[in-house]
Structure formats: C-alpha cells, structure tokens
Amino acid sequence: MPATILIVDDERDLLDSLRFSLEREGFCALTAQNGSSALSLMGQSPPPDLVLLDWMLPDMAGTEVCRNIRMTERTRGTPVIMITARSEEIDRVVGFELGADDYVTKPFSVRELLLRVKAILRRRTADDHATEEQHYELLRVDHDGHQVWVQNSRVTLTALEFRLLATLLARRGRVQTRDTLLNDVWGVQVDVTTRTVDTHVQRLRKKLGAAGQYIETLRGVGYRFLLPEREATH
C-alpha cells in the first residue's frame, strides 16, 4: 500500500504542485491549508505516514501543529518535515527540538524534497523492525513505543533526541563523529552546524540524568556510547 503524505501549507499553488509530484511518485497525498484542518486529518485512522508542514499558517504556527502531533499517542512517531522561509539556524534548532525530522527552507528543489521524504520513510521502516526493548544498566529503551526509562523513571524525549540516543546505543563502543551524527540522525542535507550536535547531546545527557554518563565526549572527534564492562571484555 502506498504511503500517505499530508501536505500543510496555505499556498494553494505549492499544495497543488507538491501533491502532483508526490502522486507521480506513487504516494497518496492529502492537503490542508491551515493547522486545524491538518490536525483533523491527523485524527483519521490510520493517520498519514508523513507530514510536510509549513511553519507559517493562518490559524496557528506550524510548530504548534508539530507539538500537537508529538503529544498525541497515535501520531507521536509520524515523521514531520518542516517547510518554511525561515532560514536562521535558531529556527531550525527550534523545529528539531519540537520533534521535526527534517527542515527544508523555501525556495527548495522538489526533487530534493522527494528524496528526503523517501529517505525518512525508509528510516522509519527500519525503525519499525527494531521493536525489541533494550536494557542497558540504568537505561531501558522501548524502540517500538519510542519510550525511555532511567532507573524505572520515564524520561520524555523529543523524536530527534530519541533517534540520537538510539543511534548512539546501537553503535555503542564505536566513535561517532559529529558529521556522522548529522548525516544519520538529522539527515545528510540538513543545513545546520556541528554545534547543533553538541547542543542536543548536552540536553540528552541532562534528561538522562544518571544514565547521561554513558555518552562519552572525545574532544575534537565526536561521541561514543560506552560499553558496559561485561561487553568490553568479550
């Protein structure tokens, strides 16, 4: 069954252009010109597989729509690509902090956007296969439910923070450069600096509390999730 993409933008011409391009690639496309309509469509069963979301909407900010998607249990894992004319790095950081999976600035290449959509959907399919629950000393990670506990206390992470943690945990014991993390967690085409990685790692450590010590900084190189002694000796 083809994936369903929800396009949210108040520009009618852009909506029609993106819908045509997506349908030509074999996707099903839904459109909404404001936040309220978008949230209504997100409430359908099943919800769309991915959302292309404009930042500036007539009734509410796209960031508020994204926040609502992330706070709703059934749509929490739905990928969101922010589409906006706001190109400052702080705007990208805010978008990612609210749970956006990618960030595209206008004007943009439709071909490039389609490549990003396909890459995120492939990544989501891979994530869906990682349904097991991992236990790592103080840390417990439910990949299927996108939930994390430290010493049996639930830790609330954004979608991006969860992906960062899952990536480091899956590659534990191996050094991950900042460029590698930008490529694999944020997406290769995302126009943000490596300082963004540092900022998010710091916030992730803080949220993890006692388990934050597992993420080691290698100055001038990147980060590594430490192996427990029992794995390191094998």
Side-chain angles (χ1 to χ4, degrees), residues 153-169:
S153 294
R154 172 82 177 275
V155 177
T156 301
L157 301 181
T158 67
L160 183 67
E161 289 166 345
F162 184 89
R163 195 157 64 245
L164 176 59
L165 173 62
T167 299
L168 290 169
L169 182 57

Side-chain angles (χ1 to χ4, degrees), residues 3-45:
T4 298
I5 313 298
L6 172 60
I7 315 162
V8 188
D9 200 295
D10 59 347
E11 297 181 41
R12 184 77 252 175
D13 290 346
L14 181 59
L15 278 181
D16 292 340
S17 174
L18 288 177
R19 179 172 58 187
F20 173 79
S21 298
L22 287 164
E23 290 177 345
R24 186 175 58 185
E25 292 293 317
F27 296 107
C28 293
L30 302 174
T31 62
Q33 288 187 275
N34 57 59
S36 298
S37 298
L39 292 176
S40 177
L41 288 169
M42 289 303 297
Q44 69 180 21
S45 184

Side-chain angles (χ1 to χ4, degrees), residues 127-184:
D127 289 345
D128 286 345
H129 290 122
T131 58
E132 78 281 1
E133 188 173 280
Q134 282 185 288
H135 294 258
Y136 184 93
E137 298 187 345
L138 304 178
L139 185 66
R140 180 159 58 98
V141 180
D142 175 6
H143 291 276
D144 191 37
H146 279 224
Q147 298 182 87
V148 175
W149 294 265
V150 175
Q151 295 177 313
N152 294 321
S153 294
R154 172 82 177 275
V155 177
T156 301
L157 301 181
T158 67
L160 183 67
E161 289 166 345
F162 184 89
R163 195 157 64 245
L164 176 59
L165 173 62
T167 299
L168 290 169
L169 182 57
R171 302 170 186 178
R172 59 190 178 277
R174 290 179 283 162
V175 177
Q176 302 301 304
T177 67
R178 291 168 176 81
D179 286 334
T180 295
L181 291 171
L182 275 178
N183 181 79
D184 295 346

